[in-house]
Amino acid sequence: MKLSERVRRVKPSATMAVTEKAAELRARGVEVVDFGAGEPDFDTPEHIKRAAWRALEAGATKYTPVGGTRELKEAIVTKLRRDNGLEYAPSEVMAHCGGKHALYVAFQALFEDGDEVLLPAPYWVSYPDMLALAGARARILPTRVEEGFKLSAEALREAIGPGTRALVWNSPSNPAGVTYSEEELAAIARVLVESELFLVSDDVYEMMVYDGERPPHLLRIAPELRERTLVVNSVSKTYAMTGWRVGYSAGPRELLAAMSKLQGQMTSNPSAVAQAAAAEALSGPQDCVGKMMAEFARRRDFIVERLRSIPGIRCPKPGGAFYVFPDCSAYMGRRWKGGEIRSGEDLALYLLEEAGVAVVGGTDFGYPTHIRISYATSRENLARGTDAMARALGRLS
Protein backbone atom coordinates (compact mmCIF):
# COMPACT_ATOMS: atom_id res chain seq x y z
CA MET A 1 0.00 0.00 0.00
CA LYS A 2 1.29 3.45 -0.88
CA LEU A 3 0.95 5.89 2.01
CA SER A 4 1.23 9.65 1.83
CA GLU A 5 4.59 11.34 2.22
CA ARG A 6 3.24 13.44 5.09
CA VAL A 7 2.44 10.40 7.23
CA ARG A 8 5.86 8.88 6.48
CA ARG A 9 7.48 12.04 7.87
CA VAL A 10 5.74 11.69 11.24
CA LYS A 11 6.99 9.55 14.12
CA PRO A 12 4.65 7.74 16.53
CA SER A 13 4.26 9.52 19.88
CA ALA A 14 7.08 8.39 22.16
CA THR A 15 5.01 8.95 25.29
CA MET A 16 2.00 7.01 24.02
CA ALA A 17 4.29 4.18 22.90
CA VAL A 18 5.65 3.77 26.43
CA THR A 19 2.15 3.83 27.94
CA GLU A 20 0.99 1.17 25.48
CA LYS A 21 4.06 -1.01 26.15
CA ALA A 22 3.47 -0.82 29.90
CA ALA A 23 -0.19 -1.77 29.42
CA GLU A 24 0.83 -4.68 27.21
CA LEU A 25 3.22 -6.00 29.86
CA ARG A 26 0.58 -5.68 32.57
CA ALA A 27 -1.88 -7.64 30.40
CA ARG A 28 0.71 -10.46 30.35
CA GLY A 29 0.90 -10.40 34.15
CA VAL A 30 4.14 -8.41 34.45
CA GLU A 31 4.19 -5.91 37.32
CA VAL A 32 5.14 -2.46 35.98
CA VAL A 33 5.57 0.86 37.76
CA ASP A 34 4.47 3.36 35.13
CA PHE A 35 6.45 6.63 35.19
CA GLY A 36 5.61 7.25 31.54
CA ALA A 37 1.99 8.39 31.65
CA GLY A 38 1.41 12.13 31.33
CA GLU A 39 -1.88 12.13 33.20
CA PRO A 40 -2.91 12.74 36.80
CA ASP A 41 -3.70 9.60 38.79
CA PHE A 42 -6.51 11.39 40.65
CA ASP A 43 -10.15 10.76 39.80
CA THR A 44 -12.13 13.54 38.17
CA PRO A 45 -13.65 15.60 41.02
CA GLU A 46 -17.15 14.57 42.01
CA HIS A 47 -18.90 17.86 41.23
CA ILE A 48 -17.61 17.68 37.66
CA LYS A 49 -18.87 14.13 37.20
CA ARG A 50 -22.26 15.15 38.60
CA ALA A 51 -22.47 17.89 35.96
CA ALA A 52 -21.99 15.23 33.28
CA TRP A 53 -24.79 13.14 34.78
CA ARG A 54 -27.10 16.13 34.82
CA ALA A 55 -26.28 16.80 31.16
CA LEU A 56 -27.08 13.19 30.26
CA GLU A 57 -30.38 13.33 32.11
CA ALA A 58 -31.22 16.57 30.28
CA GLY A 59 -30.62 14.89 26.92
CA ALA A 60 -27.27 16.51 26.04
CA THR A 61 -26.42 13.74 23.60
CA LYS A 62 -26.67 15.63 20.30
CA TYR A 63 -24.39 17.72 18.12
CA THR A 64 -23.40 21.13 19.43
CA PRO A 65 -21.91 24.09 17.55
CA VAL A 66 -18.49 23.17 16.18
CA GLY A 67 -16.63 25.48 18.56
CA GLY A 68 -18.55 24.45 21.66
CA THR A 69 -21.71 25.26 23.58
CA ARG A 70 -22.50 28.74 24.79
CA GLU A 71 -22.23 27.43 28.36
CA LEU A 72 -18.70 26.15 27.82
CA LYS A 73 -17.58 29.28 25.97
CA GLU A 74 -18.81 31.46 28.82
CA ALA A 75 -17.00 29.20 31.30
CA ILE A 76 -13.78 29.60 29.28
CA VAL A 77 -14.22 33.39 29.32
CA THR A 78 -14.79 33.26 33.10
CA LYS A 79 -11.68 31.14 33.65
CA LEU A 80 -9.42 33.38 31.54
CA ARG A 81 -10.62 36.46 33.42
CA ARG A 82 -10.38 34.86 36.89
CA ASP A 83 -7.06 33.03 36.57
CA ASN A 84 -5.17 35.02 33.95
CA GLY A 85 -6.64 38.52 33.97
CA LEU A 86 -7.38 38.15 30.24
CA GLU A 87 -10.57 39.51 28.67
CA TYR A 88 -12.09 37.57 25.79
CA ALA A 89 -15.58 37.50 24.32
CA PRO A 90 -17.33 34.16 23.69
CA SER A 91 -16.75 34.74 19.97
CA GLU A 92 -12.98 34.75 20.65
CA VAL A 93 -12.84 31.31 22.27
CA MET A 94 -13.59 27.77 21.09
CA ALA A 95 -13.53 24.21 22.35
CA HIS A 96 -11.61 21.28 20.86
CA CYS A 97 -11.24 17.53 21.35
CA GLY A 98 -8.33 18.04 23.75
CA GLY A 99 -5.44 20.47 23.96
CA LYS A 100 -3.46 18.49 21.39
CA HIS A 101 -6.30 18.89 18.91
CA ALA A 102 -6.39 22.64 19.59
CA LEU A 103 -2.70 22.89 18.71
CA TYR A 104 -3.06 20.72 15.61
CA VAL A 105 -5.93 22.78 14.23
CA ALA A 106 -4.09 26.02 15.05
CA PHE A 107 -0.92 24.90 13.26
CA GLN A 108 -2.97 23.92 10.19
CA ALA A 109 -4.66 27.32 10.16
CA LEU A 110 -1.54 29.39 10.81
CA PHE A 111 1.37 27.94 8.86
CA GLU A 112 2.40 27.56 5.24
CA ASP A 113 4.96 25.22 3.71
CA GLY A 114 8.44 26.26 4.80
CA ASP A 115 7.43 28.52 7.70
CA GLU A 116 9.92 28.37 10.53
CA VAL A 117 8.54 27.96 14.05
CA LEU A 118 10.75 28.34 17.11
CA LEU A 119 10.68 25.61 19.78
CA PRO A 120 12.66 26.02 23.01
CA ALA A 121 14.20 22.69 23.98
CA PRO A 122 13.46 20.43 25.70
CA TYR A 123 10.04 20.42 24.07
CA TRP A 124 6.91 18.28 24.05
CA VAL A 125 7.39 15.39 21.65
CA SER A 126 4.35 16.19 19.48
CA TYR A 127 5.23 19.77 18.52
CA PRO A 128 7.72 19.00 15.70
CA ASP A 129 5.51 16.36 14.09
CA MET A 130 2.36 18.47 14.26
CA LEU A 131 4.30 21.33 12.69
CA ALA A 132 5.61 19.00 9.98
CA LEU A 133 2.03 17.97 9.17
CA ALA A 134 1.25 21.67 8.64
CA GLY A 135 4.25 22.00 6.30
CA ALA A 136 6.18 24.10 8.81
CA ARG A 137 9.70 23.51 10.05
CA ALA A 138 10.59 23.43 13.74
CA ARG A 139 13.73 25.33 14.61
CA ILE A 140 14.99 24.01 17.92
CA LEU A 141 16.44 26.48 20.43
CA PRO A 142 18.70 24.51 22.80
CA THR A 143 18.88 25.47 26.46
CA ARG A 144 21.29 24.41 29.20
CA VAL A 145 20.45 22.23 32.17
CA GLU A 146 22.80 24.41 34.26
CA GLU A 147 20.52 27.38 33.50
CA GLY A 148 17.33 25.52 34.37
CA PHE A 149 16.52 24.82 30.70
CA LYS A 150 15.39 28.44 30.36
CA LEU A 151 15.36 30.29 27.06
CA SER A 152 16.96 33.71 27.38
CA ALA A 153 15.60 36.79 25.65
CA GLU A 154 18.96 37.19 23.90
CA ALA A 155 18.84 33.65 22.48
CA LEU A 156 15.29 34.26 21.25
CA ARG A 157 16.25 37.53 19.57
CA GLU A 158 19.23 35.92 17.82
CA ALA A 159 17.10 33.04 16.54
CA ILE A 160 14.58 35.19 14.70
CA GLY A 161 15.24 35.23 10.95
CA PRO A 162 13.39 36.34 7.82
CA GLY A 163 11.50 33.04 7.59
CA THR A 164 10.58 32.83 11.27
CA ARG A 165 6.85 32.91 11.74
CA ALA A 166 6.06 31.98 15.32
CA LEU A 167 7.17 30.88 18.78
CA VAL A 168 5.55 27.99 20.64
CA TRP A 169 5.71 28.78 24.36
CA ASN A 170 5.06 26.12 27.01
CA SER A 171 5.61 26.97 30.66
CA PRO A 172 5.48 25.12 32.98
CA SER A 173 6.87 22.80 30.38
CA ASN A 174 6.69 19.17 29.43
CA PRO A 175 9.18 17.49 29.99
CA ALA A 176 11.33 19.63 32.30
CA GLY A 177 8.79 21.64 34.30
CA VAL A 178 10.50 24.90 33.35
CA THR A 179 9.02 28.04 34.91
CA TYR A 180 10.02 31.69 34.50
CA SER A 181 10.02 34.69 36.80
CA GLU A 182 8.04 37.80 35.93
CA GLU A 183 11.29 39.57 35.08
CA GLU A 184 12.36 36.79 32.71
CA LEU A 185 8.93 36.78 31.07
CA ALA A 186 9.07 40.56 30.63
CA ALA A 187 12.37 40.21 28.77
CA ILE A 188 10.87 37.54 26.48
CA ALA A 189 7.80 39.72 25.94
CA ARG A 190 9.95 42.69 24.84
CA VAL A 191 11.53 40.58 22.11
CA LEU A 192 8.12 39.40 20.94
CA VAL A 193 6.75 42.94 20.84
CA GLU A 194 9.74 44.13 18.79
CA SER A 195 9.37 41.23 16.34
CA GLU A 196 6.47 40.21 14.13
CA LEU A 197 6.26 36.70 15.56
CA PHE A 198 2.98 35.00 16.29
CA LEU A 199 2.85 33.46 19.77
CA VAL A 200 1.23 30.11 20.53
CA SER A 201 1.02 29.87 24.32
CA ASP A 202 0.46 26.28 25.47
CA ASP A 203 -0.80 26.74 29.04
CA VAL A 204 -1.94 23.22 29.92
CA TYR A 205 0.29 23.01 33.03
CA GLU A 206 -0.26 26.61 34.16
CA MET A 207 -1.72 25.72 37.57
CA MET A 208 1.19 23.41 38.43
CA VAL A 209 3.65 25.98 39.80
CA TYR A 210 5.13 24.96 43.14
CA ASP A 211 7.61 27.60 44.31
CA GLY A 212 5.94 30.92 45.02
CA GLU A 213 3.09 32.55 43.16
CA ARG A 214 2.27 31.88 39.54
CA PRO A 215 3.82 34.56 37.34
CA PRO A 216 1.51 36.68 35.17
CA HIS A 217 0.59 35.49 31.71
CA LEU A 218 2.72 36.83 28.87
CA LEU A 219 -0.35 38.65 27.58
CA ARG A 220 -0.76 40.44 30.91
CA ILE A 221 2.83 41.61 30.64
CA ALA A 222 2.49 42.62 26.99
CA PRO A 223 -1.20 43.09 26.08
CA GLU A 224 -0.16 44.54 22.72
CA LEU A 225 0.59 40.94 21.66
CA ARG A 226 -3.09 40.00 21.91
CA GLU A 227 -3.84 40.14 18.17
CA ARG A 228 -0.97 37.80 17.38
CA THR A 229 -1.33 35.32 20.23
CA LEU A 230 -3.31 32.12 20.56
CA VAL A 231 -3.81 30.85 24.11
CA VAL A 232 -4.27 27.07 24.26
CA ASN A 233 -5.36 25.16 27.34
CA SER A 234 -7.19 22.04 28.46
CA VAL A 235 -9.13 20.63 31.40
CA SER A 236 -7.08 17.42 31.24
CA LYS A 237 -4.23 18.13 33.66
CA THR A 238 -5.71 20.70 36.02
CA TYR A 239 -8.91 18.76 36.71
CA ALA A 240 -7.76 15.15 36.12
CA MET A 241 -9.95 14.92 33.00
CA THR A 242 -7.60 13.43 30.39
CA GLY A 243 -10.20 10.96 29.10
CA TRP A 244 -12.91 13.58 28.68
CA ARG A 245 -11.00 15.11 25.74
CA VAL A 246 -11.82 18.80 26.01
CA GLY A 247 -9.32 21.53 25.21
CA TYR A 248 -9.90 25.16 24.37
CA SER A 249 -8.28 28.14 22.72
CA ALA A 250 -8.62 31.92 22.78
CA GLY A 251 -7.36 34.33 20.17
CA PRO A 252 -8.12 36.69 17.31
CA ARG A 253 -11.55 36.23 15.71
CA GLU A 254 -10.10 35.72 12.23
CA LEU A 255 -7.91 32.85 13.42
CA LEU A 256 -10.72 31.30 15.47
CA ALA A 257 -13.00 31.40 12.42
CA ALA A 258 -10.38 29.60 10.33
CA MET A 259 -9.84 27.00 13.07
CA SER A 260 -13.59 26.45 13.37
CA LYS A 261 -13.85 25.90 9.62
CA LEU A 262 -11.09 23.28 9.76
CA GLN A 263 -12.50 21.60 12.85
CA GLY A 264 -15.89 21.41 11.17
CA GLN A 265 -14.31 19.22 8.48
CA MET A 266 -12.34 17.12 10.98
CA THR A 267 -14.11 16.22 14.20
CA SER A 268 -16.91 18.76 14.49
CA ASN A 269 -17.70 19.45 18.15
CA PRO A 270 -16.24 17.78 21.24
CA SER A 271 -18.60 15.44 23.12
CA ALA A 272 -21.65 17.31 24.38
CA VAL A 273 -21.53 15.56 27.75
CA ALA A 274 -17.80 16.25 28.15
CA GLN A 275 -18.42 19.91 27.35
CA ALA A 276 -20.94 20.13 30.20
CA ALA A 277 -18.38 18.60 32.56
CA ALA A 278 -15.68 20.98 31.32
CA ALA A 279 -17.95 23.99 31.84
CA GLU A 280 -18.46 22.95 35.47
CA ALA A 281 -14.72 22.35 35.91
CA LEU A 282 -13.83 25.83 34.67
CA SER A 283 -16.59 27.83 36.34
CA GLY A 284 -17.42 25.72 39.42
CA PRO A 285 -15.60 25.28 42.77
CA GLN A 286 -11.81 25.36 42.42
CA ASP A 287 -10.70 23.96 45.80
CA CYS A 288 -10.01 20.56 44.20
CA VAL A 289 -7.24 22.13 42.12
CA GLY A 290 -5.29 23.37 45.14
CA LYS A 291 -5.50 19.96 46.82
CA MET A 292 -4.13 18.15 43.77
CA MET A 293 -1.37 20.71 43.25
CA ALA A 294 -0.27 20.44 46.89
CA GLU A 295 0.10 16.68 46.51
CA PHE A 296 2.03 17.08 43.23
CA ALA A 297 4.43 19.45 45.02
CA ARG A 298 5.06 16.86 47.75
CA ARG A 299 5.65 14.18 45.12
CA ARG A 300 8.06 16.42 43.24
CA ASP A 301 10.20 16.94 46.34
CA PHE A 302 10.06 13.23 47.12
CA ILE A 303 11.16 11.95 43.70
CA VAL A 304 13.87 14.59 43.20
CA GLU A 305 15.47 13.57 46.50
CA ARG A 306 15.20 9.90 45.55
CA LEU A 307 16.73 10.35 42.10
CA ARG A 308 19.55 12.53 43.36
CA SER A 309 20.55 9.72 45.71
CA ILE A 310 21.21 7.39 42.74
CA PRO A 311 24.88 7.62 41.67
CA GLY A 312 25.31 9.15 38.23
CA ILE A 313 21.83 10.73 37.99
CA ARG A 314 21.66 14.53 37.70
CA CYS A 315 18.13 15.69 38.39
CA PRO A 316 17.19 19.39 38.22
CA LYS A 317 14.29 20.35 40.45
CA PRO A 318 11.38 21.39 38.20
CA GLY A 319 9.40 24.49 39.01
CA GLY A 320 6.14 23.09 37.70
CA ALA A 321 4.19 20.43 35.77
CA PHE A 322 4.50 16.82 37.03
CA TYR A 323 7.67 15.57 35.36
CA VAL A 324 11.36 15.36 36.13
CA PHE A 325 13.90 15.21 33.32
CA PRO A 326 17.11 13.73 34.75
CA ASP A 327 20.42 13.61 32.88
CA CYS A 328 21.64 10.03 32.64
CA SER A 329 24.87 10.70 30.72
CA ALA A 330 26.84 8.71 33.30
CA TYR A 331 25.11 5.53 32.09
CA MET A 332 25.81 6.04 28.40
CA GLY A 333 28.36 3.48 27.24
CA ARG A 334 27.37 0.93 29.88
CA ARG A 335 26.67 -2.57 28.59
CA TRP A 336 23.62 -4.80 28.77
CA LYS A 337 22.85 -8.07 27.00
CA GLY A 338 26.01 -7.68 24.98
CA GLY A 339 24.97 -4.28 23.68
CA GLU A 340 25.79 -0.71 24.61
CA ILE A 341 23.43 1.84 26.13
CA ARG A 342 23.77 4.84 23.83
CA SER A 343 20.66 6.87 24.53
CA GLY A 344 17.84 7.52 26.91
CA GLU A 345 15.71 5.18 24.79
CA ASP A 346 18.17 2.34 25.37
CA LEU A 347 18.16 3.10 29.07
CA ALA A 348 14.35 3.21 29.11
CA LEU A 349 14.20 -0.23 27.50
CA TYR A 350 16.67 -1.56 30.06
CA LEU A 351 14.67 -0.14 32.98
CA LEU A 352 11.42 -1.56 31.60
CA GLU A 353 12.80 -5.06 31.08
CA GLU A 354 15.13 -5.29 34.06
CA ALA A 355 13.40 -3.12 36.68
CA GLY A 356 9.76 -3.17 35.58
CA VAL A 357 9.78 0.63 35.46
CA ALA A 358 8.37 2.52 32.46
CA VAL A 359 10.06 5.85 31.62
CA VAL A 360 10.37 7.78 28.35
CA GLY A 361 13.68 8.32 26.58
CA GLY A 362 14.69 11.93 26.02
CA THR A 363 15.57 11.92 22.30
CA ASP A 364 12.15 13.02 21.07
CA PHE A 365 12.20 15.81 23.67
CA GLY A 366 15.50 17.05 22.19
CA TYR A 367 17.90 15.61 24.80
CA PRO A 368 19.08 12.07 23.95
CA THR A 369 20.92 11.37 27.22
CA HIS A 370 17.93 12.23 29.42
CA ILE A 371 14.81 10.36 30.44
CA ARG A 372 11.41 11.76 31.38
CA ILE A 373 9.72 10.53 34.54
CA SER A 374 6.14 11.40 35.42
CA TYR A 375 5.43 11.70 39.13
CA ALA A 376 1.67 11.67 38.56
CA THR A 377 1.41 8.55 40.68
CA SER A 378 1.34 7.70 44.37
CA ARG A 379 4.35 8.22 46.62
CA GLU A 380 4.27 4.47 47.27
CA ASN A 381 4.77 3.86 43.55
CA LEU A 382 7.44 6.57 43.39
CA ALA A 383 9.36 4.83 46.19
CA ARG A 384 8.95 1.37 44.66
CA GLY A 385 9.92 2.55 41.19
CA THR A 386 12.99 4.55 42.20
CA ASP A 387 14.21 1.68 44.40
CA ALA A 388 13.91 -0.69 41.43
CA MET A 389 15.70 1.83 39.20
CA ALA A 390 18.57 2.21 41.67
CA ARG A 391 19.05 -1.57 41.88
CA ALA A 392 18.93 -2.00 38.11
CA LEU A 393 21.28 0.89 37.36
CA GLY A 394 23.71 -0.47 39.94
CA ARG A 395 23.93 -3.71 37.96
CA LEU A 396 25.06 -2.04 34.73
CA SER A 397 28.69 -2.72 33.88
Side-chain angles (χ1 to χ4, degrees), residues 76 80 86-94 96 198-199 219 225-232 248-257 259:
I76 294 167
L80 291 168
L86 302 178
E87 292 290 340
Y88 285 93
S91 60
E92 296 174 305
V93 302
M94 68 178 292
H96 309 270
F198 194 91
L199 172 66
L219 280 185
L225 292 172
R226 190 182 190 280
E227 289 307 306
R228 48 188 170 104
T229 295
L230 183 73
V231 176
V232 174
Y248 56 95
S249 58
R253 282 186 174 86
E254 183 180 3
L255 174 58
L256 269 288
M259 291 169 63

Side-chain angles (χ1 to χ4, degrees), residues 318-378:
F322 47 59
Y323 310 103
V324 284
F325 197 54
D327 182 357
C328 303
S329 300
Y331 292 94
M332 301 301 110
R334 304 284 182 96
R335 304 196 68 79
W336 168 56
K337 287 186 176 179
E340 185 177 334
I341 291 179
R342 298 179 179 177
S343 68
E345 281 65 34
D346 293 341
L347 191 61
L349 180 62
Y350 171 75
L351 290 172
L352 186 59
E353 294 193 9
E354 298 296 320
V357 177
V359 302
V360 185
T363 298
D364 285 352
F365 298 99
Y367 284 74
T369 62
H370 290 239
I371 58 174
R372 191 196 76 172
I373 295 173
S374 167
Y375 52 87
T377 187
S378 68

Side-chain angles (χ1 to χ4, degrees), residues 7 21 29 35 51 58 139-140 194 240 268 290 299 323 353 362 376 380:
V7 80
K21 179 67 174 176
F35 289 165
R139 180 176 176 190
I140 308 305
E194 294 164 5
S268 191
R299 293 175 182 182
Y323 310 103
E353 294 193 9
E380 179 186 0

